[in-house]
Amino acid sequence: MRLSQMLFVTLREDPAEAEIPSHKLLLRAGYIRRIGSGIYAYLPLMWRVLQKVSQIVREEMNAAGAQECLLPQLQPSELWKESGRWETYTKAEGIMFSLIDRQERELGLGPTHEEVITTVAKDMIRSYRQLPVNLYQIQTKFRDEIRPRFGLMRGREFIMKDAYSFNENEASLQKSYDAMDQAYRNIISRCGLAYRAVEADSGAIGGSASQEFMILAEAGEDEVLYTEDGKYAANVEKAVSLPKDVEQSPFTTYEKKETPDCNTIEKLCKFLECSSTNIVKNVLYEAVYDNGKILLVLVSIRGDQEINEVKLNNELVKVADQYQATTLLALTVLDENAQKKWTNKPLPMGYISPNLEDEYIASGEYIEGKFLRIVDKTVVDLENFVTGADEINYHIVGGNWNKDFKLPQLVCDIRTAMIGDRAIHDRSQTLASARGIEVGHIFQLGTKYSEAMGATFTDENGEEKPIVMGCYGVGVSRLAQAAVEQSYDKDGIIWPVAIAPYHVIIIVPNIKDKNQIEVAENLYNELNKIGIETMLDDRDERAGVKFKDADLIGIPYRVVTGRSLKAGKVEVVTRKSKESQEIEVTNLVETLHNWVEQAKVND
């Protein structure tokens, strides 16, 4: 491509809207332009990158035996109501764009396609002889983000590859899942990116086993906890670990103590001269289910630990059927307004005990009359612990379960794993932390959607069974920006060769020099002819401007037809290392061809 003929505009200053380096650079380098909040136009350079990422994804999916299709973006609400996710996506998480058409039909713009693909399977798959099958698409998706940010990282419109496997049983699903796991590793490696595969929470998609693929980058939104031996890695929302050991309690007898102005763990420990590991802290949450039922949840956890609200949310979804509900719409710490609305009298906040009386709860049509009491595993074995006395400025010391306080039946792991915690698989290993950008997520869905939507098959014994499903997503546009976030410097983007919009940029410092132009034209034609995608900067601009633009847009190799032409050579600069060398013009095409092919393997 000749730069003089290209829609190419670069910016010297960072746009005010951009928050992270990759967002700034993609805007400055003319790859994307903002059209609206969370909505971007992919300009020619960006579209080439996206096409290359898509092609790598397509090749690896095809190699794994998946078949490409294209599913509708516009989806009837009936499908989502059938699966039980309409309320979750339009109200609880609120991420689906929904609309009413002229026939008064309710529709949604697809953030994901489980319902659509399950409907296809329900209509077309009849026998075990048709299984397994894996269908995938590369499609534009939509999410009504509360706060769109970071450019393509968290936009309201984005490009994604999603695949769905249909299997006869769990063993067959595991094979499909493993094949997708390997395909994803191949995809990210071929794109030239450093990544980590981590255990993850399944979220609203559901299912059992779940794994995320994180591009390692300082600006990553997700925290990854891992061990140096390489045997464990998980998103902090999912991570498990062993907390530090409990220190011996200084209290040996049960006693109610006055603890003035000790409504925080720090103040309490200082006043009582005890460890935070001796304390049972109690936190009240308000949980709202999809049937309108309000539940007040009392969570007890060790004083030095924090509640993982993703884990807590999952536990509350598990018990939803006890309240004639299917999913959770909202989970928040009980604030002052909720206290006034749902309680009969002021709560002793900061001094609550695990035995807080149910009488505090006001009666009402939507409010459940009892606290749901949940304890984290960290407090189950505590002895002679400290906890609230249900009275402002008073605590209990020397408390014990099933003697002074009834241990709730619902015991769960709802703590947040932390840096420095010991690993469960090896106590000598401790958890370290890294930041990551999620670009891929694979799930073992099981029969969640097939049972809800009636997608069945007949097995070899003639018995009708629900199809066992898997789901596998890659954010194509997200991966492209993550590549920039992982690889840039003060001068601009550094694209891996495999997904760079062009492999080579030839710069003519002086377009009035006939020799420079002639050599550049010949090299441009020869390189493109053998498949080395090449740009020719033939603009009537100063050489310094051209060099700055070349660095900014991040083309892997820069060729300059300058002063060295007198010796039959051109200057070649490698963008990644900034290494410069002079190469004979007659050897350049072969040299660059070898470099590009080798870089695709080694990046």
mmCIF file of all heavy atoms in Angstrom, residues 251 253-260 268 271-272 351 387 389 391-397:
data_model
loop_
_atom_site.group_PDB
_atom_site.id
_atom_site.type_symbol
_atom_site.label_atom_id
_atom_site.label_comp_id
_atom_site.label_asym_id
_atom_site.label_seq_id
_atom_site.Cartn_x
_atom_site.Cartn_y
_atom_site.Cartn_z
ATOM 1 N N PHE A 251 -7.527 -15.181 74.846
ATOM 2 C CA PHE A 251 -8.688 -15.302 75.730
ATOM 3 C C PHE A 251 -9.003 -16.774 75.986
ATOM 4 O O PHE A 251 -8.943 -17.605 75.075
ATOM 5 C CB PHE A 251 -9.896 -14.606 75.114
ATOM 6 C CG PHE A 251 -9.607 -13.174 74.721
ATOM 7 C CD1 PHE A 251 -9.436 -12.832 73.381
ATOM 8 C CD2 PHE A 251 -9.473 -12.186 75.680
ATOM 9 C CE1 PHE A 251 -9.150 -11.528 73.005
ATOM 10 C CE2 PHE A 251 -9.195 -10.880 75.320
ATOM 11 C CZ PHE A 251 -9.023 -10.543 73.980
ATOM 12 N N THR A 253 -11.688 -17.602 78.470
ATOM 13 C CA THR A 253 -13.054 -17.704 78.998
ATOM 14 C C THR A 253 -13.977 -16.740 78.265
ATOM 15 O O THR A 253 -13.554 -15.697 77.778
ATOM 16 C CB THR A 253 -13.094 -17.391 80.507
ATOM 17 O OG1 THR A 253 -12.561 -16.084 80.737
ATOM 18 C CG2 THR A 253 -12.283 -18.421 81.290
ATOM 19 N N TYR A 254 -15.238 -17.116 78.207
ATOM 20 C CA TYR A 254 -16.272 -16.305 77.554
ATOM 21 C C TYR A 254 -16.545 -15.064 78.391
ATOM 22 O O TYR A 254 -16.766 -15.157 79.604
ATOM 23 C CB TYR A 254 -17.539 -17.139 77.402
ATOM 24 C CG TYR A 254 -18.709 -16.408 76.773
ATOM 25 C CD1 TYR A 254 -18.919 -16.457 75.402
ATOM 26 C CD2 TYR A 254 -19.602 -15.662 77.558
ATOM 27 C CE1 TYR A 254 -19.997 -15.791 74.818
ATOM 28 C CE2 TYR A 254 -20.673 -14.992 76.990
ATOM 29 C CZ TYR A 254 -20.859 -15.062 75.613
ATOM 30 O OH TYR A 254 -21.906 -14.402 75.047
ATOM 31 N N GLU A 255 -16.555 -13.914 77.737
ATOM 32 C CA GLU A 255 -16.815 -12.677 78.468
ATOM 33 C C GLU A 255 -17.308 -11.606 77.501
ATOM 34 O O GLU A 255 -16.860 -11.522 76.368
ATOM 35 C CB GLU A 255 -15.524 -12.194 79.144
ATOM 36 C CG GLU A 255 -15.698 -10.949 79.991
ATOM 37 C CD GLU A 255 -14.388 -10.485 80.616
ATOM 38 O OE1 GLU A 255 -13.380 -11.207 80.505
ATOM 39 O OE2 GLU A 255 -14.383 -9.378 81.201
ATOM 40 N N LYS A 256 -18.241 -10.810 77.961
ATOM 41 C CA LYS A 256 -18.703 -9.647 77.206
ATOM 42 C C LYS A 256 -17.894 -8.443 77.666
ATOM 43 O O LYS A 256 -17.898 -8.092 78.839
ATOM 44 C CB LYS A 256 -20.200 -9.418 77.443
ATOM 45 C CG LYS A 256 -20.774 -8.227 76.686
ATOM 46 C CD LYS A 256 -22.273 -8.103 76.965
ATOM 47 C CE LYS A 256 -22.871 -6.888 76.260
ATOM 48 N NZ LYS A 256 -24.323 -6.752 76.556
ATOM 49 N N LYS A 257 -17.190 -7.816 76.704
ATOM 50 C CA LYS A 257 -16.301 -6.706 77.053
ATOM 51 C C LYS A 257 -16.766 -5.407 76.401
ATOM 52 O O LYS A 257 -17.221 -5.426 75.256
ATOM 53 C CB LYS A 257 -14.867 -6.994 76.594
ATOM 54 C CG LYS A 257 -14.031 -7.820 77.546
ATOM 55 C CD LYS A 257 -12.608 -7.952 77.012
ATOM 56 C CE LYS A 257 -11.697 -8.612 78.032
ATOM 57 N NZ LYS A 257 -11.400 -7.694 79.155
ATOM 58 N N GLU A 258 -16.588 -4.335 77.128
ATOM 59 C CA GLU A 258 -16.853 -3.025 76.540
ATOM 60 C C GLU A 258 -15.685 -2.676 75.618
ATOM 61 O O GLU A 258 -14.524 -2.741 76.018
ATOM 62 C CB GLU A 258 -17.027 -1.957 77.614
ATOM 63 C CG GLU A 258 -17.447 -0.603 77.021
ATOM 64 C CD GLU A 258 -17.747 0.433 78.081
ATOM 65 O OE1 GLU A 258 -17.478 0.165 79.270
ATOM 66 O OE2 GLU A 258 -18.254 1.511 77.716
ATOM 67 N N THR A 259 -15.997 -2.329 74.382
ATOM 68 C CA THR A 259 -14.958 -1.999 73.381
ATOM 69 C C THR A 259 -15.362 -0.706 72.683
ATOM 70 O O THR A 259 -15.816 -0.711 71.537
ATOM 71 C CB THR A 259 -14.825 -3.150 72.356
ATOM 72 O OG1 THR A 259 -16.138 -3.444 71.832
ATOM 73 C CG2 THR A 259 -14.225 -4.390 72.971
ATOM 74 N N PRO A 260 -15.204 0.409 73.352
ATOM 75 C CA PRO A 260 -15.676 1.691 72.796
ATOM 76 C C PRO A 260 -14.963 2.071 71.500
ATOM 77 O O PRO A 260 -13.747 1.930 71.384
ATOM 78 C CB PRO A 260 -15.372 2.681 73.919
ATOM 79 C CG PRO A 260 -14.300 2.038 74.742
ATOM 80 C CD PRO A 260 -14.562 0.568 74.664
ATOM 81 N N LEU A 268 -10.223 -2.828 66.842
ATOM 82 C CA LEU A 268 -10.518 -3.880 67.807
ATOM 83 C C LEU A 268 -9.260 -4.637 68.205
ATOM 84 O O LEU A 268 -9.037 -4.915 69.392
ATOM 85 C CB LEU A 268 -11.564 -4.837 67.216
ATOM 86 C CG LEU A 268 -12.078 -5.947 68.138
ATOM 87 C CD1 LEU A 268 -12.759 -5.351 69.373
ATOM 88 C CD2 LEU A 268 -13.052 -6.850 67.381
ATOM 89 N N PHE A 271 -7.187 -2.493 70.515
ATOM 90 C CA PHE A 271 -7.784 -2.328 71.852
ATOM 91 C C PHE A 271 -7.648 -3.608 72.685
ATOM 92 O O PHE A 271 -7.314 -3.554 73.874
ATOM 93 C CB PHE A 271 -9.259 -1.948 71.706
ATOM 94 C CG PHE A 271 -9.953 -1.679 73.017
ATOM 95 C CD1 PHE A 271 -9.869 -0.420 73.611
ATOM 96 C CD2 PHE A 271 -10.691 -2.679 73.646
ATOM 97 C CE1 PHE A 271 -10.506 -0.178 74.826
ATOM 98 C CE2 PHE A 271 -11.314 -2.437 74.860
ATOM 99 C CZ PHE A 271 -11.224 -1.178 75.457
ATOM 100 N N LEU A 272 -7.906 -4.764 72.047
ATOM 101 C CA LEU A 272 -7.892 -6.034 72.778
ATOM 102 C C LEU A 272 -6.521 -6.708 72.783
ATOM 103 O O LEU A 272 -6.335 -7.732 73.443
ATOM 104 C CB LEU A 272 -8.918 -6.998 72.168
ATOM 105 C CG LEU A 272 -10.393 -6.614 72.308
ATOM 106 C CD1 LEU A 272 -11.287 -7.616 71.592
ATOM 107 C CD2 LEU A 272 -10.794 -6.510 73.786
ATOM 108 N N TYR A 351 -20.674 -4.264 65.287
ATOM 109 C CA TYR A 351 -20.680 -5.046 66.534
ATOM 110 C C TYR A 351 -21.611 -6.253 66.410
ATOM 111 O O TYR A 351 -22.095 -6.782 67.403
ATOM 112 C CB TYR A 351 -21.109 -4.163 67.716
ATOM 113 C CG TYR A 351 -20.193 -2.979 67.927
ATOM 114 C CD1 TYR A 351 -20.426 -1.778 67.264
ATOM 115 C CD2 TYR A 351 -19.090 -3.077 68.769
ATOM 116 C CE1 TYR A 351 -19.570 -0.688 67.432
ATOM 117 C CE2 TYR A 351 -18.227 -1.983 68.951
ATOM 118 C CZ TYR A 351 -18.480 -0.802 68.276
ATOM 119 O OH TYR A 351 -17.626 0.260 68.446
ATOM 120 N N THR A 387 -15.867 -11.746 68.708
ATOM 121 C CA THR A 387 -16.885 -11.365 67.730
ATOM 122 C C THR A 387 -17.814 -10.326 68.362
ATOM 123 O O THR A 387 -17.669 -10.000 69.553
ATOM 124 C CB THR A 387 -17.677 -12.590 67.236
ATOM 125 O OG1 THR A 387 -18.427 -12.238 66.058
ATOM 126 C CG2 THR A 387 -18.604 -13.135 68.300
ATOM 127 N N ALA A 389 -21.114 -8.388 69.939
ATOM 128 C CA ALA A 389 -22.052 -8.756 71.004
ATOM 129 C C ALA A 389 -23.465 -8.286 70.697
ATOM 130 O O ALA A 389 -24.341 -8.321 71.567
ATOM 131 C CB ALA A 389 -21.584 -8.166 72.333
ATOM 132 N N GLU A 391 -24.412 -5.368 70.316
ATOM 133 C CA GLU A 391 -24.648 -4.148 71.082
ATOM 134 C C GLU A 391 -23.514 -3.171 70.768
ATOM 135 O O GLU A 391 -22.334 -3.548 70.799
ATOM 136 C CB GLU A 391 -24.690 -4.460 72.581
ATOM 137 C CG GLU A 391 -25.023 -3.256 73.441
ATOM 138 C CD GLU A 391 -25.088 -3.600 74.931
ATOM 139 O OE1 GLU A 391 -25.150 -4.811 75.264
ATOM 140 O OE2 GLU A 391 -25.067 -2.668 75.747
ATOM 141 N N ILE A 392 -23.875 -1.943 70.451
ATOM 142 C CA ILE A 392 -22.866 -0.940 70.109
ATOM 143 C C ILE A 392 -21.852 -0.816 71.246
ATOM 144 O O ILE A 392 -22.218 -0.737 72.425
ATOM 145 C CB ILE A 392 -23.527 0.429 69.846
ATOM 146 C CG1 ILE A 392 -24.480 0.341 68.647
ATOM 147 C CG2 ILE A 392 -22.467 1.510 69.601
ATOM 148 C CD1 ILE A 392 -23.794 0.069 67.322
ATOM 149 N N ASN A 393 -20.558 -0.818 70.863
ATOM 150 C CA ASN A 393 -19.424 -0.667 71.789
ATOM 151 C C ASN A 393 -19.177 -1.876 72.685
ATOM 152 O O ASN A 393 -18.478 -1.765 73.707
ATOM 153 C CB ASN A 393 -19.583 0.585 72.665
ATOM 154 C CG ASN A 393 -19.479 1.867 71.854
ATOM 155 O OD1 ASN A 393 -18.780 1.922 70.841
ATOM 156 N ND2 ASN A 393 -20.196 2.904 72.286
ATOM 157 N N TYR A 394 -19.674 -3.050 72.262
ATOM 158 C CA TYR A 394 -19.417 -4.270 73.036
ATOM 159 C C TYR A 394 -19.071 -5.443 72.108
ATOM 160 O O TYR A 394 -19.656 -5.578 71.028
ATOM 161 C CB TYR A 394 -20.630 -4.652 73.901
ATOM 162 C CG TYR A 394 -20.788 -3.781 75.120
ATOM 163 C CD1 TYR A 394 -21.537 -2.606 75.050
ATOM 164 C CD2 TYR A 394 -20.182 -4.126 76.337
ATOM 165 C CE1 TYR A 394 -21.672 -1.784 76.153
ATOM 166 C CE2 TYR A 394 -20.326 -3.309 77.456
ATOM 167 C CZ TYR A 394 -21.066 -2.139 77.357
ATOM 168 O OH TYR A 394 -21.196 -1.330 78.459
ATOM 169 N N HIS A 395 -18.110 -6.248 72.552
ATOM 170 C CA HIS A 395 -17.737 -7.477 71.849
ATOM 171 C C HIS A 395 -17.702 -8.651 72.826
ATOM 172 O O HIS A 395 -17.588 -8.465 74.041
ATOM 173 C CB HIS A 395 -16.360 -7.341 71.192
ATOM 174 C CG HIS A 395 -16.387 -6.625 69.872
ATOM 175 N ND1 HIS A 395 -16.327 -5.256 69.775
ATOM 176 C CD2 HIS A 395 -16.473 -7.097 68.591
ATOM 177 C CE1 HIS A 395 -16.365 -4.893 68.492
ATOM 178 N NE2 HIS A 395 -16.461 -5.995 67.757
ATOM 179 N N ILE A 396 -17.797 -9.848 72.238
ATOM 180 C CA ILE A 396 -17.613 -11.083 72.999
ATOM 181 C C ILE A 396 -16.184 -11.558 72.780
ATOM 182 O O ILE A 396 -15.694 -11.585 71.650
ATOM 183 C CB ILE A 396 -18.599 -12.178 72.550
ATOM 184 C CG1 ILE A 396 -20.052 -11.721 72.762
ATOM 185 C CG2 ILE A 396 -18.316 -13.497 73.277
ATOM 186 C CD1 ILE A 396 -20.408 -11.467 74.212
ATOM 187 N N VAL A 397 -15.503 -11.969 73.849
ATOM 188 C CA VAL A 397 -14.187 -12.606 73.734
ATOM 189 C C VAL A 397 -14.296 -14.017 74.296
ATOM 190 O O VAL A 397 -15.146 -14.300 75.146
ATOM 191 C CB VAL A 397 -13.096 -11.801 74.479
ATOM 192 C CG1 VAL A 397 -13.003 -10.387 73.931
ATOM 193 C CG2 VAL A 397 -13.346 -11.780 75.983
#
